[in-house]
Amino acid sequence: MKKDYSIWTLLSQGLKNHVGWQPTWRSSALKDSYDVVIIGAGGHGLATAYYLAREHGVKNIAVLEKGFLGGGNTARNTTIVRSNYLWDEAAMLYEHSLKLWESLTEDINYNVMFSQRGVFNLGHTLQDMRDIERRVNANNLNGIDALALNAQEVKDRIPMINISKNTRFPIMGASYQPRAGVARHDAVAWGFARAASQYGVDIIENCEVQGMDIANGQMQGLQTSKGYIKTARVGCVTAGHSSVIAKMAGIKMPIESHPLQAFVSESLKPILDTVVMSNAVHGYVSQSDKGELVIGAGIDHYTSYTQRGSPHIIEHTAAAIIELFPMFSRVRMNRQWGGIVDTTPDACPIISKTKVKGLYFNCGWGTGGFKATPGSGNVFAHTIAHDAPHPLNAAFSLDRFHTGHLIDEHGAAGVAH
Amino acid sequence: MSRINKPRIKHKHSRVNLSKPLNFTFDGKPYIGYQGDTLASALLANGIKVMARSFKYGRPRGIVGSWAEEPNCLVQIDMGAKTTPDLKATQVELYEGLVAGRTSGWPSLAFDLKSIGGHFSRFMPAGFYYKTFKWPAKFWPLYEHVIRKAAGYGASPIEADVETYDHKHHHTDVLVVGGGAAGLLAAQLSGQCGASVILLDDQSEMGGYLLSTPNTTIGGKNALEWRDSVITELQSLPNVQILTRTTAFGLHDMNMIQAVELLQDHLPHHQRNAIQRRERLHRIRANKVVLATGAFERPLVFGNNDVPGVMTVSALATYFNRYGVACGKHTLILTSNDSAYQAVADLAAGGVKVTLADVRDNINAEWDAHFKQLGIDVFTGFGISEVLGSNSVTGARLSKLHPTNPMENFEKDLLRRRVVNVRDISCDVIASSGGLSPTVHLFCHDGGRPTWSDESLAFVVSANGRANAGIYCVGAVTGEFQLQKGLEKTVQTTQEMLASLGKSATNTMALNTNEIAPNPTKAIFHIATSKKAFVDFQNDVAVTDIQLAVRENFKSIEHIKRYTALGFGTDQGKLSNVNGFAIAAEALGKTIPEVGTTTYRPAYTPVSFGALAGAHVAETFEPRRYTAMQASHEQFGAEYETVGNWMRPWYFPQNGEDMQAAVNRECLAARNGVAIMDASTLGKIDIQGKDVREFLNRVYSNSWSQLASGKCRYGLMLNEAGMVMDDGVTACITDTHFLMTTTTGGAANVLNWLEKWHQTEWTELEVYMTSVTDHWATASLVGPKSREVLAKLCSDIDLNKDAFKFMEWRDGTVAGVPARVFRISFSGELAYEINVDASYGNYVWQALMAAGKAFDITPYGTETMHVLRAEKGFIIVGQETDGSVTPLDLDMAWAVSLKKPFSFIGKRSLARSDTVRTDRKQLVGLLTEDPTIVLKEGAQIINSSNISPPVAMFGHVTSSYYSAFLGRSIALALVTDGFKRRENVESIFAYAEGKAIKAKIVSSVFVDAEGARHHG
Amino acid sequence: MFVITCPHCCEAREEEEFHYEGEAFIARPVDPEAESDEAWGDYLFTKKNPKGWHWEMWNHATGCRKILVLKRNTANHIIAGSWTLSDARKEYDNERATA
């Protein structure tokens, strides 16, 4: 891979009016057949293609995208990256991802602005504090950085926060993961697209999958808006539309698609240099490099594919943020938006083979997929390349919904992203 | 020759009251403005040009617009707890004593450190940060720190807001958004035929652009007179509500419009009412919405177009006509359309020297004659290739445009041969007009899309294209930019809208105007230049940035937006977006409609978090619930624990005790004497009907077939996946009447759950459920002496241990109050739960306290309750369980009746391959080797003292306390294969706070395993 | 934010009065013990989750507390109608019969 993005190339292009920059990724024509087709050019899909090409030597790969690449949840999330999950299976998967995040900028020669400014998960009740203690201890024994803090220790690190005992949801403490943080979401998609493209991956935008050609239980090819593609292996990474794509293969998923809303404030001078999340009040907040407060809400309860939710959710979230930070009351919301999150019964993803040979699904990340982007792509690439799961995603198979071996992270995830 | 010698002029139509001067400060310096000014008009009137510095390059910036479209002049208003960041100077109404600060420029507006970096702007194109700041990797936090410091405009307040907000809900037949000419007319027609109407506008007074163009006439009246006549009539109609300073910022499903009204920010501090809200959020459900949201003028893009003094023509006209401010003595106007001409005429007639450059080759003859008469120099076929001046406009270089490709400059070719094709003009203000961009935002918030109109050269919305959703559009937003035609179509559209409400309206007003029929607008968006030409001022996005993005394969307009930050600012691209789309289209070799627009999302203009939250803050964020005995608890010095919405007494410290001391005392009282707890918060559901028994058999895992009247039973409720979801004691009142109790936190969910099963699956069962949690107050009287205490107050129940046995209940009176007394125990002691009408709760509590005084009766809270039940190995749902625990895991097979004929909820799931495993995590007791050590709740179970990761974990401590009764610590834990390990009394280690503590696995029942005490 | 007409109260009310209760007409197997783990797991967890028309239950939680059924389009939030469970079942069966 060419590592041609640097201060030196920037200076030299600056002197040439930047006329020499190459396309970030190639625009490719669709070929008749591919060894592997990935449906969905979001962060996870592009990462999958990148690792398939780089680590598994797969040569002939296409990534199909019905819209523009990185335009789904990759472009709509609040960019939080952390790995302090409760259960071993989830914690190890997210920690694998966090480790990849830590070297991602160098790895793909694209500054994804991964900023390890720490994440606080606040506790407001005695049971919250028990859960925090339990999770922090589990994290420590799994080798994941985590601290359980009391209210004053939270205040010492976040001077703006309201730890008065007289609030409706007094802050009793928090779990804190110092290595967690945020990243520049679009850059992740563009960086993976560029890196995958350099490994020869064809990225086909505005190409919608319309049907699957399956015979004798084996994937044969895909009908798309740009024509038929012959392929024996298809990886579906279509967050927000997983059920729709699965239906083409006659598979009914344990997934419901809900709106998840978020909003940003106007740009402010630096005021908050970490990420604060609270399940009890239903809100979380960080400040972007551009200065906006980035704020997320809980999901809307109904299912929807519209990428918009109901305004009372946003209103409640604003109230929640004021409960934590009363001074933000006069700060103004600049823009709100919604994404579609595919939720599973146990708030854990599905990274799995299916009953169709050569058809693989990576979905159900709910509200927390962004943080897993590199790790998800990495283990999914392994699953496709070997037709067998990577040890880190073996537990995330579809059959757990039959055996009952769920990995219930609701306590750890909730609205917490 | 200019007759203007200072910016503030006397203009007969000005809305500014020159007899009311107002003192204000900006950036630390005092100035004077007048009543009716905005901060922007007052600053311009004071000759201030540079009011901001640009985001990326630190370039000096001035005012470009006159309202919500303003990209540059963001200010910080006020100080302390009332400071507000990022307001647009153009939208801030001036008041006496206003304090405004700059939000950019460090160390000062005159010199910004970033401007040094600005000299290297060629090395900082769109997205440069993705390509650099990567080396060395560990330096990124340092780079980021610098980037963050340079970013951001205003500062957040650091004190809690002292002002308040609320929400108001409306239902109306017709909502008209926008009080310009079209909106006024639509509201008038709607109001006349009796519909309920809300008319709102974001400015301080109705009129929209009419206020900026007083020489336009409608029906023979000048624009302001016409406006006044319509407003007078609207005000006389009781069915019409008019809201000014109210911005509709979001349109949601089924015509729910959120609008925020600014109630006090325009008033000087001494006139603000402390009990009045600062802002009010109106939630308006409108049967029909009429969008009369108008349009913003878009500027043309040319070299150095960000020099202070370059603005839009409409802004220039607004400052001149509405605020009586001449922004300069010599104005150069560049236009691609006729909409600018009225402003040209107004300014020239008002004494400003005006030079007009029109990118088109021909000019309307009528206007041409008029301009000649006014002595205006007119250049046709010319554009501005570059603005001259740095901190303010000193002139402009006009150049002849290419005859076939107007985006290209003719200049270079011709320069060599005919100097006449380049003209340097000296001027102090430049205003441009590239046409109008309709304000289509609200139309698009709930999924609508605008369409490109070649005729209007704009993205427009259809007047009645969304009539089926009840959304109608009138005026400039539809792309009809001529006033008379717009008003005529408004009548038509409004009539159509009213007809759908079954009403009819007839317009009686003359709508003829004095407009001159315009020539077509020329499709030109930017003019070639070798200088930086900005599309989006707030984000420093230049034409070359968009071209670079396209070159780098960012071809979707959403990619271009995201890569360059086009339209990402607090102005949401109101001036820049369409120009950006057009320039992208040119670079992509596509048409503008092929490129399309980015997505319009709320908020149309920024809205405070406070307004969004309304009254749901502080004490009213979420309700607190207190029981009937609250007064007693308060008196007894309770500390509280939040459980669901309830505030429950946690413990009652006496004489400066710490929690452990209080809990020890409370526990010992319960075990050795008598203690009392408020159990009112437990959920209570009254269930009646002939099929209650069968219903309970289905929703609980245990059997209810044999429970006789007068008896109680503990029930365990599973979800359909077989996991424990709730528990509680249910009493049989009669064969067809049961009283169920639930956990405190689970009460609402359980009722929903039961009702759902009843309504969806078992409609044949005759059961009726009512929540009676609030109807009863419950006091638990606990301890060996509890019978004696109760006996003092209750003579009509035989309390003899054989007459009133454990797990029975009786009707009777306690302290003269009718009561249901349950002999049940969550402590393992002899205990009575006394339930009375909640109104008597506190009275009975106090009577029990008085009766128990001789026995030193001790109130206790949830902490002691937890210790007592843990000593008995009783679970708390949500503490011992986490959604992954079955009754068998809890060693509660006795509460699972597999013989019931109906397959109860959750039963089948208990037989899945994972749930039948015998080595699941199972509930056991733990005793530490050192009895003084209390394990941490949430400690992880490990098999050795080795704690260097990774360490395999085998469960966790769910509950852990010091037991004063036992004189040692106890704990409950879920442990992998725990039952087998309990048999062998195996040792484990519990890890928390960096330490592993040894403990042995024992029975989870620590006190009175045989149950002698509670049967006593 | 929806306005939902409660067929029990016969009134149109704000979404905030209602609680979403998920896909309608997922019948509990008559004899759960006869179901395989796979079939039981599908009953417990799988959802149609269509992009388009969706038959779904809502509880008029702060009103009459009765369950109602909406036919709602998840792609654009258009609501085709609301019915009591039994009326909805008839509509649903008719729709499937004619499809």
Side-chain angles (χ1 to χ4, degrees):
Chain A
M1 202 180 96
K2 284 185 292 181
K3 298 224 169 185
D4 55 354
Y5 281 178
S6 70
I7 184 71
W8 310 115
T9 53
L10 189 68
L11 290 174
S12 101
Q13 283 296 333
L15 297 171
K16 293 182 250 173
N17 291 326
H18 301 282
V19 293
W21 290 115
Q22 294 303 304
T24 310
W25 61 87
R26 290 175 295 111
S27 289
S28 315
L30 191 64
K31 289 188 269 192
D32 293 340
S33 83
Y34 287 95
D35 293 341
V36 176
V37 173
I38 304 296
I39 307 176
H44 291 231
L46 292 164
T48 305
Y50 166 70
Y51 290 112
L52 268 172
R54 196 189 82 171
E55 296 194 350
H56 303 283
V58 180
K59 293 272 182 264
N60 193 19
I61 305 169
V63 185
L64 309 184
E65 171 54 51
K66 84 172 168 178
F68 61 98
L69 75 80
N73 290 346
T74 304
R76 294 164 197 283
N77 70 88
T78 49
T79 83
I80 298 167
V81 177
R82 64 185 179 93
S83 67
N84 54 347
Y85 279 69
L86 172 64
W87 299 102
D88 293 350
E89 296 91 338
M92 298 322 281
L93 179 65
Y94 288 105
E95 177 63 12
H96 176 59
S97 193
L98 180 52
K99 289 204 173 104
L100 290 170
W101 274 111
E102 286 175 319
S103 58
L104 192 60
T105 287
E106 283 69 41
D107 198 19
I108 62 176
N109 184 230
Y110 204 90
N111 190 351
V112 298
M113 303 183 186
F114 180 44
S115 170
Q116 293 180 287
R117 59 184 61 183
V119 168
F120 291 82
N121 297 82
L122 300 178
H124 303 266
T125 63
L126 295 172
Q127 188 57 41
D128 282 354
M129 295 312 296
R130 287 182 199 109
D131 291 339
I132 283 170
E133 189 66 35
R134 178 184 176 193
R135 186 157 46 77
V136 164
N137 291 327
N139 292 159
N140 288 343
L141 293 174
N142 273 324
I144 295 168
D145 59 322
L147 296 165
L149 306 177
N150 65 30
Q152 188 56 49
E153 290 167 330
V154 173
K155 179 86 176 166
D156 291 344
R157 288 167 168 83
I158 314 168
M160 308 294 294
I161 206 159
N162 182 12
I163 59 163
S164 158
K165 284 193 172 143
N166 300 323
T167 61
R168 175 63 183 79
F169 291 94
I171 293 167
M172 301 185 77
S175 72
Y176 175 54
Q177 184 177 24
R179 284 163 63 239
V182 292
R184 173 81 180 99
H185 53 2
D186 289 327
V188 177
W190 302 338
F192 270 123
R194 176 168 172 270
S197 178
Q198 290 197 7
Y199 274 105
V201 173
D202 285 355
I203 299 166
I204 319 286
E205 294 180 88
N206 302 308
C207 179
E208 185 173 7
V209 172
Q210 294 165 332
M212 290 188 183
D213 177 10
I214 297 163
N216 306 320
Q218 162 71 49
M219 177 58 62
Q220 309 288 333
L222 296 171
Q223 281 101 26
T224 79
S225 58
K226 295 195 173 187
Y228 181 84
I229 308 172
K230 189 169 173 312
T231 182
R233 281 184 291 177
V234 172
C236 300
V237 206
T238 53
H241 281 77
S242 308
S243 299
V244 177
I245 299 291
K247 196 178 171 190
M248 292 178 188
I251 297 171
K252 208 171 152 190
M253 281 282 178
I255 279 179
E256 288 185 295
S257 302
H258 292 272
L260 177 66
Q261 303 183 69
F263 60 97
V264 291
S265 74
E266 296 179 279
S267 187
L268 303 168
K269 295 278 186 323
I271 180 91
L272 183 67
D273 63 357
T274 187
V275 183
V276 180
M277 326 174 68
S278 167
N279 284 358
V281 303
H282 290 294
Y284 50 96
V285 56
S286 65
Q287 189 176 19
S288 71
D289 283 346
K290 201 163 174 273
E292 301 141 327
L293 297 177
V294 183
I295 291 166
I299 61 170
D300 281 77
H301 289 286
Y302 51 77
T303 60
S304 173
Y305 288 87
T306 58
Q307 296 184 331
R308 59 179 199 272
S310 294
H312 66 275
I313 303 283
I314 294 291
E315 291 172 2
H316 180 84
T317 304
I321 297 304
I322 293 171
E323 173 79 358
L324 302 176
F325 297 97
M327 67 285 297
F328 290 161
S329 165
R330 299 175 84 89
V331 172
R332 301 192 300 173
M333 174 179 86
N334 192 34
R335 183 177 170 91
Q336 70 168 83
W337 67 91
I340 312 166
V341 296
D342 288 347
T343 60
T344 60
D346 58 357
C348 275
I350 296 161
I351 313 172
S352 182
K353 297 171 66 171
T354 64
K355 64 185 182 186
V356 176
K357 193 161 165 44
L359 176 64
Y360 311 86
F361 267 87
N362 181 352
C363 60
W365 290 91
T367 58
F370 179 72
K371 67 174 71 69
T373 304
S376 157
N378 189 273
V379 299
F380 194 46
H382 182 283
T383 305
I384 295 170
H386 294 84
D387 192 36
H390 187 283
L392 287 174
N393 68 298
F396 297 95
S397 68
L398 269 167
D399 67 4
R400 73 181 189 269
F401 301 102
H402 297 145
T403 64
H405 191 82
L406 304 191
I407 307 150
D408 204 325
E409 280 286 348
H410 278 114
V415 301
H417 301 250
Chain B
M1 192 55 207
S2 173
R3 287 180 276 120
I4 302 288
N5 48 25
K6 58 180 178 15
R8 181 68 76 181
I9 56 164
K10 278 192 182 150
H11 190 301
K12 68 174 173 174
H13 292 300
S14 160
R15 312 299 294 169
V16 168
N17 185 348
L18 293 179
S19 68
K20 290 202 173 156
L22 301 171
N23 295 289
F24 71 101
T25 66
F26 172 69
D27 198 21
K29 294 189 196 76
Y31 299 98
I32 290 172
Y34 296 94
Q35 190 68 45
D37 262 328
T38 63
L39 177 60
S41 67
L43 288 170
L44 288 168
N46 279 281
I48 309 299
K49 301 266 186 190
V50 180
M51 296 173 208
R53 286 285 181 156
S54 79
F55 171 69
K56 196 165 157 188
Y57 305 129
R59 291 166 71 109
R61 290 284 165 81
I63 282 168
V64 173
S66 59
W67 189 244
E69 78 280 19
E70 170 60 32
N72 285 333
C73 295
L74 307 181
V75 292
Q76 183 96 22
I77 297 295
D78 227 322
M79 295 179 297
K82 288 185 181 173
T83 192
T84 309
D86 294 347
L87 296 175
K88 297 172 180 80
T90 47
Q91 291 187 287
V92 174
E93 289 181 52
L94 201 67
Y95 56 81
E96 175 63 30
L98 179 142
V99 176
R102 69 176 195 275
T103 62
S104 52
W106 190 86
S108 72
L109 270 181
F111 173 71
D112 184 12
L113 202 61
K114 267 194 273 189
S115 64
I116 296 176
H119 293 303
F120 301 96
S121 65
R122 62 163 53 239
F123 304 113
M124 297 157 70
F128 76 100
Y129 30 83
Y130 301 126
K131 296 174 177 143
T132 182
F133 299 128
K134 297 189 276 74
W135 186 88
K138 64 170 189 280
F139 275 30
W140 168 241
L142 180 70
Y143 297 141
E144 190 188 29
H145 183 71
V146 175
I147 291 170
R148 281 168 67 83
K149 280 214 116 158
Y153 303 109
S156 165
I158 53 170
E159 294 170 49
D161 198 351
V162 290
E163 294 188 280
T164 59
Y165 306 80
D166 68 13
H167 289 181
K168 186 169 179 177
H169 298 245
H170 305 258
H171 292 265
T172 187
D173 292 332
V174 180
L175 168 68
V176 180
V177 182
L184 287 169
L185 182 57
Q188 186 188 42
L189 290 168
S190 306
Q192 280 169 345
C193 65
S196 60
V197 179
I198 296 173
L199 168 66
L200 56 79
D201 191 272
D202 52 357
Q203 302 214 18
S204 59
E205 57 177 327
M206 295 284 160
Y209 197 68
L210 294 179
L211 299 168
S212 302
T213 183
N215 294 323
T216 299
T217 64
I218 304 172
K221 297 176 183 168
N222 83 38
L224 297 178
E225 287 164 3
W226 184 85
R227 180 201 82 126
D228 292 345
S229 69
V230 178
I231 291 175
T232 304
E233 180 174 356
L234 287 173
Q235 284 169 338
S236 74
L237 294 170
N239 52 321
V240 176
Q241 189 179 352
I242 300 174
L243 295 169
T244 53
R245 299 189 178 93
T246 305
T247 307
F249 66 87
L251 189 151
H252 305 276
D253 288 317
M254 302 178 178
N255 294 346
M256 209 287 278
I257 285 81
Q258 286 171 299
V260 65
E261 181 181 11
L262 309 183
L263 294 166
Q264 303 226 71
D265 274 7
H266 61 289
L267 297 173
H269 286 276
H270 67 273
Q271 281 179 24
R272 292 187 197 177
N273 181 345
I275 59 165
Q276 168 70 287
R277 307 302 194 185
R278 175 180 179 232
E279 298 175 0
R280 172 165 295 149
L281 191 149
H282 296 269
R283 273 180 167 196
I284 305 166
R285 278 283 179 200
N287 195 333
K288 309 291 170 188
V289 177
V290 179
L291 297 177
T293 47
F296 284 111
E297 187 173 51
R298 57 174 183 263
L300 289 163
V301 177
F302 41 85
N304 285 341
N305 58 339
D306 66 329
V307 173
V310 180
M311 54 174 48
T312 64
V313 174
S314 59
L316 186 76
T318 299
Y319 289 118
F320 190 78
N321 289 320
R322 180 170 173 181
Y323 297 106
V325 179
C327 295
K329 294 177 189 170
H330 183 178
T331 297
L332 170 63
I333 287 179
L334 175 69
T335 186
S336 65
N337 65 85
D338 286 12
S339 75
Y341 288 172
Q342 185 62 49
V344 172
D346 289 351
L347 263 75
V352 177
K353 181 168 193 281
V354 182
T355 302
L356 174 66
D358 195 313
V359 298
R360 298 168 298 182
D361 292 325
N362 296 305
I363 190 163
N364 177 303
E366 203 175 330
W367 277 115
D368 200 27
H370 194 45
F371 291 156
K372 282 209 171 78
Q373 200 182 356
L374 287 166
I376 297 168
D377 287 337
V378 179
F379 295 85
T380 54
F382 273 83
I384 296 174
S385 61
E386 86 182 74
V387 175
L388 307 173
S390 54
N391 279 325
S392 66
V393 170
T394 58
R397 175 160 297 174
L398 292 181
S399 59
K400 193 82 177 168
L401 296 169
H402 193 284
T404 53
N405 185 357
M407 305 283 190
E408 290 211 355
N409 222 317
F410 218 14
E411 173 191 350
K412 278 182 189 157
D413 281 353
L414 291 178
L415 193 56
R416 280 173 253 130
R417 283 170 280 156
R418 287 167 57 189
V419 177
V420 68
N421 287 296
V422 176
R423 290 285 182 83
D424 282 355
I425 303 281
S426 104
C427 58
D428 54 1
V429 165
I430 297 171
S432 76
S433 174
L436 299 181
S437 294
T439 310
V440 300
H441 304 64
L442 290 174
F443 184 88
C444 302
H445 283 172
D446 67 337
R449 298 292 285 187
T451 48
W452 177 257
S453 159
D454 276 328
E455 194 190 346
S456 306
L457 221 59
F459 282 100
V460 304
V461 295
S462 147
N464 54 10
R466 295 188 69 198
N468 58 355
I471 298 172
Y472 296 82
C473 302
V474 298
V477 72
T478 65
E480 181 48 72
F481 299 143
Q482 289 180 63
L483 184 57
Q484 184 172 332
K485 282 189 186 170
L487 291 175
E488 284 161 3
K489 286 185 186 172
T490 298
V491 171
Q492 199 183 326
T493 305
T494 308
Q495 283 170 335
E496 206 179 304
M497 179 273 293
L498 291 168
S500 74
L501 287 172
K503 296 182 188 297
S504 67
T506 314
N507 174 50
T508 54
M509 280 195 297
L511 298 174
N512 58 305
T513 68
N514 62 343
E515 294 164 289
I516 296 168
N519 284 347
T521 302
K522 187 161 183 168
I524 181 166
F525 300 90
H526 77 105
I527 295 157
T529 178
S530 60
K531 305 289 176 188
K532 269 223 181 299
F534 288 92
V535 184
D536 180 330
F537 296 109
Q538 195 175 109
N539 289 298
D540 269 348
V541 179
V543 174
T544 48
D545 290 315
I546 295 174
Q547 292 165 339
L548 172 66
V550 169
R551 201 177 307 137
E552 294 196 86
N553 210 23
F554 293 93
K555 290 183 175 165
S556 155
I557 192 63
E558 288 283 355
H559 277 156
I560 292 166
K561 167 189 163 178
R562 288 157 184 279
Y563 193 63
T564 63
L566 170 73
F568 255 115
T570 63
D571 56 335
Q572 295 266 312
K574 291 184 177 65
L575 290 182
S576 60
N577 272 346
V578 175
N579 280 334
F581 304 155
I583 290 161
E586 186 195 20
L588 288 161
K590 288 183 176 178
T591 64
I592 295 171
E594 279 170 344
V595 168
T597 68
T598 49
T599 314
Y600 297 87
R601 294 199 182 262
Y604 164 65
T605 53
V607 53
S608 69
F609 292 5
L612 289 169
H616 298 283
V617 293
E619 285 304 299
T620 44
F621 174 53
E622 269 195 25
R624 286 183 170 100
R625 294 176 80 182
Y626 295 97
T627 71
M629 288 78 134
Q630 175 61 20
S632 294
H633 303 331
E634 199 62 32
Q635 210 172 4
F636 211 70
E639 291 286 329
Y640 296 95
E641 176 190 0
T642 314
V643 185
N645 282 330
W646 292 99
M647 297 295 131
R648 299 193 71 180
W650 186 13
Y651 59 97
F652 293 90
Q654 303 297 307
N655 307 318
E657 284 172 314
D658 65 8
M659 181 166 107
Q660 189 61 57
V663 169
N664 289 351
R665 176 179 49 76
E666 292 170 11
C667 285
L668 291 173
R671 290 270 181 247
N672 299 328
V674 62
I676 183 168
M677 187 191 74
D678 181 356
S680 308
T681 62
L682 288 182
K684 292 175 271 294
I685 302 170
D686 189 274
I687 312 179
Q688 304 190 29
K690 71 179 173 58
D691 298 315
V692 180
R693 247 176 232 288
E694 175 59 19
F695 185 72
L696 294 175
N697 272 331
R698 295 180 182 191
V699 298
Y700 275 130
S701 61
N702 47 341
S703 173
W704 299 82
S705 305
Q706 305 300 325
L707 190 70
S709 169
K711 300 214 180 262
C712 313
R713 178 165 290 167
Y714 173 80
L716 206 48
M717 203 176 279
L718 314 188
N719 64 24
E720 188 71 306
M723 304 301 156
V724 173
M725 65 171 271
D726 206 79
D727 68 348
V729 169
T730 291
C732 178
I733 309 294
T734 70
D735 199 38
T736 58
H737 183 187
F738 286 68
L739 183 70
M740 173 187 282
T741 58
T742 73
T743 60
T744 297
N749 282 342
V750 169
L751 183 61
N752 280 347
W753 174 253
L754 300 180
E755 286 180 331
K756 188 171 176 182
W757 282 106
H758 179 229
Q759 291 185 41
T760 60
E761 285 283 342
W762 308 324
T763 51
E764 75 283 5
L765 296 186
E766 189 190 297
V767 287
Y768 304 92
M769 286 163 272
T770 310
S771 167
V772 294
T773 304
D774 288 325
H775 303 47
W776 297 92
T778 309
S780 286
L781 194 60
V782 175
K785 306 278 192 226
S786 57
R787 183 179 286 124
E788 288 170 64
V789 175
L790 183 57
K792 288 174 125 185
L793 296 175
C794 175
S795 54
D796 55 357
I797 300 174
D798 182 353
L799 297 176
N800 186 290
K801 66 183 268 197
D802 298 318
F804 184 7
K805 291 184 186 154
F806 181 57
M807 294 310 273
E808 292 184 342
W809 73 274
R810 295 289 181 269
D811 258 329
T813 52
V814 175
V817 176
R820 278 183 185 156
V821 180
F822 293 76
R823 205 187 141 187
I824 56 178
S825 177
F826 195 42
S827 57
E829 291 301 322
L830 170 67
Y832 299 90
E833 279 196 2
I834 299 148
N835 292 269
V836 296
D837 182 317
S839 321
Y840 297 106
N842 203 37
Y843 167 75
V844 171
W845 177 273
Q846 289 185 351
L848 288 163
M849 286 295 291
K853 195 159 187 204
F855 305 93
D856 199 15
I857 190 168
T858 303
Y860 69 91
T862 52
E863 188 67 16
T864 291
M865 175 189 83
H866 278 220
V867 179
L868 297 173
R869 64 88 204 176
E871 288 171 343
K872 287 292 294 177
F874 295 152
I875 63 156
I876 288 192
V877 172
Q879 186 167 346
E880 269 64 41
T881 70
D882 60 5
S884 70
V885 179
T886 71
L888 306 170
D889 298 339
L890 295 169
D891 213 2
M892 292 171 81
W894 54 268
V896 180
S897 168
L898 296 173
K899 293 191 198 113
K900 288 192 285 187
F902 189 89
S903 180
F904 64 82
I905 302 295
K907 181 185 175 193
R908 171 63 185 84
S909 289
L910 296 175
R912 290 175 298 169
S913 63
D914 192 65
T915 36
V916 297
R917 281 190 297 117
T918 56
D919 60 347
R920 289 172 60 85
K921 286 180 183 163
Q922 294 153 343
L923 186 72
V924 294
L926 295 180
L927 288 175
T928 49
E929 211 168 39
D930 175 348
T932 64
I933 295 178
V934 180
L935 294 175
K936 194 93 181 159
E937 286 172 345
Q940 290 286 339
I941 307 299
I942 55 180
N943 278 346
S944 78
S945 60
N946 169 32
I947 57 165
S948 60
V951 180
M953 289 167 263
F954 301 93
H956 74 285
V957 175
T958 59
S959 296
S960 175
Y961 308 97
Y962 179 75
S963 164
F965 183 69
L966 296 170
R968 64 154 301 140
S969 66
I970 57 166
L972 300 175
L974 285 164
V975 177
T976 303
D977 206 12
F979 299 154
K980 199 184 285 169
R981 300 183 73 180
R982 180 180 62 193
E983 275 170 40
N984 304 331
V985 202
E986 286 182 29
S987 285
I988 52 86
F989 291 81
Y991 168 85
E993 297 176 319
K995 293 190 292 281
I997 291 163
K998 196 170 184 184
K1000 61 185 180 195
I1001 300 175
V1002 297
S1003 160
S1004 56
V1005 185
F1006 299 96
V1007 169
D1008 189 25
E1010 62 280 8
R1013 300 178 78 97
H1014 63 243
H1015 282 292
Chain C
M1 203 160 116
F2 311 138
V3 175
I4 294 172
T5 300
C6 175
H8 306 285
C9 303
C10 300
E11 288 196 22
R13 294 303 181 103
E14 290 290 331
E15 180 190 322
E16 285 158 299
E17 287 192 18
F18 298 84
H19 187 262
Y20 182 67
E21 297 284 355
E23 183 179 326
F25 311 131
I26 299 176
R28 188 173 198 251
V30 178
D31 183 3
E33 274 60 44
E35 301 287 323
S36 66
D37 274 9
E38 185 170 349
W40 184 251
D42 286 347
Y43 152 68
L44 283 180
F45 298 125
T46 64
K47 296 288 188 305
K48 285 185 185 142
N49 194 29
K51 183 176 187 174
W53 291 111
H54 189 223
W55 292 84
E56 62 195 24
M57 294 187 289
W58 292 72
N59 182 353
H60 193 184
T62 63
C64 64
R65 295 196 61 79
K66 293 227 177 75
I67 302 243
L68 57 116
V69 175
L70 283 191
K71 182 184 173 188
R72 184 178 61 92
N73 194 316
T74 61
N76 56 24
H77 290 181
I78 288 172
I79 292 172
S82 63
W83 300 270
T84 62
L85 267 162
S86 54
D87 289 348
R89 184 76 218 197
K90 284 176 221 151
E91 292 282 333
Y92 177 71
D93 288 341
N94 279 342
E95 183 182 282
R96 285 205 302 181
T98 55

